[in-house]
């Protein structure tokens, strides 16, 4: 499968959600594509890792189903590069490697979820819908955003906890903004550093931990009953306002 293959149905709605499948086994790719298309998604499949970034430069899928073992660039490398250049695209890794170290490594490089082979097509559809619900929560649920414990005023660089200004620094605001754009997604310290310092300066991971500690303290002072910035041991941090 060296060329991109579109499985879009002729009557697909113009606002249908676009999904990219990167899988070098044609039967598996077709199976996932058929089920996702049946559930209303617009699907494109690629079979070679080197095709992914050029394709993404021309298209904007909501989610990528990304196999780890690929000809050309492997899935873990692609996950990191996609997250660096297209941070809002959701990523689900598809893998036959179930070792925990691979799972953690994938999450650190930007994956939102995993599907392990062998899998059922129904599981694929369920995981895709679940990840999209998390990653698009802000865009799809404006009423919920208005009632969220923390709301961002980007024009004024303010974070408001039920109307109260948290008094964040520019770096703290940027960190919170990045995590709030993808609720539930785990960000590694390296990813957060990339968003904190656009000039590529060299800083230690402890610098990120220090900023997160101060951010969490300010949120806790305003919202002592909630822990919305969660640490994930050995991986990074995530924004999760739910209990």
């Amino acid at each position: 499968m060296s060329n991109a293959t579109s499985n879009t149905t002729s009557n697909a709605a113009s606002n249908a959600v676009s999904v990219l499948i990167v899988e070098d086994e044609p039967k598996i790719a077709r199976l996932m594509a058929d089920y996702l298309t049946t559930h209303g998604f617009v699907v494109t499949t690629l079979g070679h890792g080197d095709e992914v970034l050029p394709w993404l430069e021309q298209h904007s899928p909501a989610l990528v189903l990304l196999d780890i073992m690929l000809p050309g660039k492997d899935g873990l490398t692609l996950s990191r590069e996609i997250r660096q250049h297209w941070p809002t695209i959701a990523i689900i890794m598809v893998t036959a490697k179930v070792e925990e170290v691979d799972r953690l490594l994938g999450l650190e490089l930007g994956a939102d979820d995993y599907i392990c082979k062998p899998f059922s097509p129904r599981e694929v559809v369920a995981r895709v819908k679940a990840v999209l619900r998390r990653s698009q929560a802000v865009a799809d649920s404006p009423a919920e955003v208005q009632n969220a414990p923390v709301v961002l005023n980007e024009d004024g660089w303010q974070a408001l906890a039920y109307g109260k200004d948290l008094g964040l620094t520019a770096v703290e605001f940027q960190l919170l903004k990045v995590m709030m754009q993808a609720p539930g997604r785990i960000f590694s310290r390296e990813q957060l550093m990339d968003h904190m310092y656009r000039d590529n300066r060299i800083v230690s991971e402890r610098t990120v931990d220090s900023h997160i500690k101060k951010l969490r303290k300010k949120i806790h002072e305003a919202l002592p009953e909630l822990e919305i910035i969660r640490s994930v041991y050995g991986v990074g941090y995530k924004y999760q306002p739910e209990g």
Side-chain angles (χ1 to χ4, degrees):
M1 290 178 14
S2 59
N3 298 319
T5 302
S6 175
N7 294 285
T8 307
T9 58
S10 59
N11 62 346
S14 59
N15 61 346
V17 176
S18 174
V19 173
L20 172 64
I21 296 173
V22 187
E23 169 61 63
D24 64 327
E25 296 185 45
K27 290 183 179 180
I28 294 178
R30 172 60 62 181
L31 183 63
M32 290 192 293
D34 286 347
Y35 264 77
L36 288 168
T37 300
T38 299
H39 283 79
F41 294 95
V42 176
V43 182
T44 300
T45 60
L46 296 174
H48 197 287
D50 294 342
E51 299 173 325
V52 176
L53 298 188
W55 188 90
L56 288 175
E57 290 174 356
Q58 303 297 323
H59 305 84
S60 300
L63 182 142
V64 178
L65 278 161
L66 184 59
D67 191 27
I68 286 184
M69 301 299 293
L70 292 166
K73 286 187 178 180
D74 64 87
L76 295 179
T77 299
L78 285 168
S79 179
R80 182 182 66 247
E81 294 179 348
I82 291 171
R83 191 57 69 216
Q84 289 175 345
H85 297 289
W86 297 278
T88 61
I89 295 178
I91 301 172
I92 297 179
M93 304 300 292
V94 181
T95 178
K97 302 177 68 176
V98 297
E99 295 84 351
E100 188 64 17
V101 64
D102 286 337
R103 289 173 179 259
L104 292 178
L105 180 58
L107 285 171
E108 186 172 350
L109 294 178
D112 294 282
D113 201 357
Y114 277 88
I115 297 175
C116 293
K117 298 178 182 178
F119 53 79
S120 73
R122 291 181 181 179
E123 178 189 4
V124 173
V125 174
R127 293 291 186 101
V128 167
K129 289 182 176 180
V131 168
L132 289 175
R133 278 196 300 270
R134 294 199 302 266
S135 65
Q136 296 178 348
V138 173
D140 293 342
S141 304
E144 293 179 12
V145 172
Q146 295 298 323
N147 296 320
V150 176
V151 176
L152 299 184
N153 172 13
E154 296 189 31
D155 291 337
W157 282 70
Q158 291 178 306
L160 306 175
Y162 294 125
K164 179 182 178 182
D165 187 359
L166 294 178
L168 303 186
T169 65
V171 170
E172 291 164 356
F173 179 89
Q174 187 67 16
L175 282 173
L176 181 58
K177 176 183 174 182
V178 170
M179 288 186 285
M180 286 183 66
Q181 287 175 335
R185 200 194 113 199
I186 302 170
F187 289 83
S188 70
R189 290 169 177 81
E190 181 179 2
Q191 291 167 347
L192 292 173
M193 279 191 289
D194 289 341
H195 289 284
M196 287 163 54
Y197 302 110
R198 300 289 185 174
D199 57 359
N200 296 319
R201 72 182 73 176
I202 299 175
V203 296
S204 70
E205 293 186 348
R206 290 188 176 182
T207 301
V208 176
D209 292 336
S210 176
H211 286 300
I212 290 288
K213 182 178 180 180
K214 294 175 182 177
L215 173 60
R216 295 173 79 176
K217 181 180 179 181
K218 291 178 180 180
I219 294 174
H220 178 73
E221 290 175 350
L223 304 167
E225 74 281 4
L226 295 179
E227 182 184 9
I228 63 175
I229 304 297
R230 313 282 182 91
S231 60
V232 181
Y233 182 75
V235 184
Y237 300 95
K238 65 179 179 178
Y239 172 79
Q240 189 167 319
E242 300 85 359

